[in-house]
Amino acid sequence: MTVKDLEKVQKTFKEAGQDYQLELESGKIIIVGPSDIVSSEIGVVFIWLLANWVYPRRLGRIFDSAGGFILPDGSLTAPDVSFVRAARIRQSPRYFAELVPDLVVEIKSQSDRIKPLEKKILNFIQLGAQVGILIDPDEETVTVYRQEGEPVVLGHADILTVSELFPGWELPISELWPPIYTEAETQA
């Protein structure tokens, strides 16, 4: 199947009142289920903290899990979070971006397995992404993949930096995990 075939399938689903998020991988359609609430919240926090650094400096564009990319291998996929430098996408098209993002982030949902997510990130790296990040809420770890070197696993007390794309930006890993509110905080 091609991206055009996938668009026809999406149109058929839409006409039938179905709203599925579809991806295309190695010519096969993948139906992507919704994230669990923890993974969704982590994605929002990651985007928020990164966007507060990126947009004032006009470094590029950040996309959420609905932003599709057509990759050089013919796949159509949407990382949970992605970033493309301004020099590579001066204006967002009203279509899928036909390029490999500079940064891709996958957040493990309750139903996900690590190996397929790792494979997806490594494919992005092989196709040209500079950095891939795998966030595992179950283990409270963040694994950073780069084109050179071994993956680096960060824990609760560590700080994430991506100096090749965001010089000076720092994200304490502990800020990613959804807070647990005290009873006093919930009394308004």
Side-chain angles (χ1 to χ4, degrees), residues 1-13 21-25 28-31 74-77 96:
M1 296 199 91
T2 66
V3 171
K4 294 295 179 198
D5 296 326
L6 180 72
E7 288 174 335
K8 290 176 188 174
V9 171
Q10 281 181 314
K11 182 179 178 189
T12 302
F13 279 147
Q21 184 171 339
L22 306 176
E23 293 187 358
L24 184 65
E25 182 183 311
K28 296 178 183 169
I29 292 178
I30 310 282
I31 297 176
S75 297
L76 171 61
T77 188
F96 305 116

Side-chain angles (χ1 to χ4, degrees), residues 66-87:
F69 291 86
I70 299 173
L71 304 178
D73 66 1
S75 297
L76 171 61
T77 188
D80 292 324
V81 179
S82 53
F83 166 82
V84 179
R85 289 176 290 130

